[in-house]
Amino acid sequence: MEELSKDLNDNVEKLKTIFKDVGDVVFRFIEIGDDSKRRACLVFIDELVDKNLLSEYAIQLLLTKENVYNFDTKLFKKDLINALANRAIAIAEIKEENRLEKIVDAILSGQTVLFVEGVKMALTLDAKGGTSRGINEPQAETVVRGPRDGFGEVLKVNMSLIRRRIRDPNLKVKMVQVGRRSKTDVAIMYIEDIVNDKIVEEVNKRIEQVDIDAIIDSSTLEFLIEDNYLSPFPQVEATERPDTVVASIYEGRVGILVDNTPFALIVPATIGTIFQSAEDHYSRWTITSLIRILRIFAAFLSALAPALYIAITSFHPGLIPTRLTYYLGASRINVPFPAVVEAFLMEITLELLRESGTRIAGPVGSTIGIVGGLIIGQAAVEAGIVSPLMIIIVAITTISAFALPNYEWASGFRFVRFIYMILAAILGLYGVMLGVVVLFVHLAKLESFGVPYTAPYSGLGIKEGDLKDTVIKAPVQKLKFRPAFTFAKNKRRMGKDNNGKQR
């Protein structure tokens, strides 16, 4: 790495060469000292700094005689930079740096760099500013009872939301930069005396191996560090709720915050954790248990309902009750297509409505989804294109997909649904059962950072009572241990063991 020189003009020219045709980089020349003036230069990017902070607590103090009274730069030939940092500048975070590459990175990240004539060292001043979105309620993970604050796009603000909830010196934060060009700041957060060291090592290893131009969003990092990118199911949990990240860190998992995105990542992720909603922690255990059972039922309906309709009506009509068979036959008299065609027509139409509603912001988008579905469904039945029962099946499938708490998990079931429909059209119920077996085998083979994806249903944690917080949530008084699938160092989170120790 190239180091700075003592010549101020030389350092400035190097930066001007690097930032050639970059119009928002500002070079502010000043003179410091009282008895012997010395030239200095502050370099920063216009839109990324807080100009009021920089002017009041750096530039003004350096230029005002009262604040540099008898400040003779000749007395500080060796430690001038240190003297400026300790006696003349009132900005909280100041660092010394003499490598040109690090200084360029600091400027691009929104910091201000102070160069002084005759000194081979520069000061980086943390006076970041610019526009940013405030702390708002999460849009995708709303709760009836619980905290209303959600992550924003500023990494330090997101880290502060975690710090406010974990007042523990063992909370460790490792800062890394990912992306050759974007140099996106990434914070890896965990509690040292709880998390398993192997999980932390695996997280650090995978992030260090990422070699890409830019990390625009946390989803890019998620796709690059997950175990099986071919799977339709997410192996990294994403959330915009600080309380969800905090609860996961207390369980012995690792939180990953990425700058410029409101979605944090949590690893390892399992079926048990993905099926849980933030509101599960704030509702009574009886209601939470009932809702979790409904979610599992909704997952099966979302994946299997259209396929079962195709298989039963086309291959196994004997499974349908006699009176229902008469009604179904009468409703399908004027339908010119087989069951598989009408199912695909309605599912594809519904997916188009869903996508169009997503792309149009505001109330118009939701209106298109609801009104469009009602109008098209009613018109399709009256035109004899599909049967009324098919409309009911599609509606139940859609509602079930929205009942799942994780969007990426629900999207995986949307993909699997079409595969099941094809299998049902070819082999009937045998094809559906074959697809279910293959899906279960796939899920059983998946891992997330060394942890089985099906945990704790795969057997991990049964001894520790891990199943108390899966399909059925036990009362809080019974949840004395952390989930066993995290292999936490400190397994007990409530009460003490038989020896009177909290281990």
Side-chain angles (χ1 to χ4, degrees), residues 107 305 376 418:
I107 295 173
I376 291 177
F418 286 98

Side-chain angles (χ1 to χ4, degrees), residues 311-327:
I312 293 175
T313 56
S314 301
F315 292 91
H316 314 281
L319 296 176
I320 307 175
T322 304
R323 296 184 64 180
L324 181 59
T325 304
Y326 295 153
Y327 170 77

Side-chain angles (χ1 to χ4, degrees), residues 146-190:
R148 303 296 185 190
D149 55 344
F151 288 128
E153 283 75 21
V154 182
L155 179 60
K156 287 194 173 182
V157 174
N158 295 341
M159 292 168 60
S160 69
L161 296 176
I162 303 295
R163 280 287 185 186
R164 286 169 56 187
R165 291 172 166 86
I166 306 180
R167 301 179 181 180
D168 188 341
N170 289 307
L171 175 63
K172 305 301 179 182
V173 181
K174 180 180 179 181
M175 299 295 301
V176 295
Q177 286 189 336
V178 184
R180 292 189 301 265
R181 296 182 182 274
S182 67
K183 292 182 173 60
T184 305
D185 292 323
V186 176
I188 304 171
M189 308 185 73
Y190 56 89

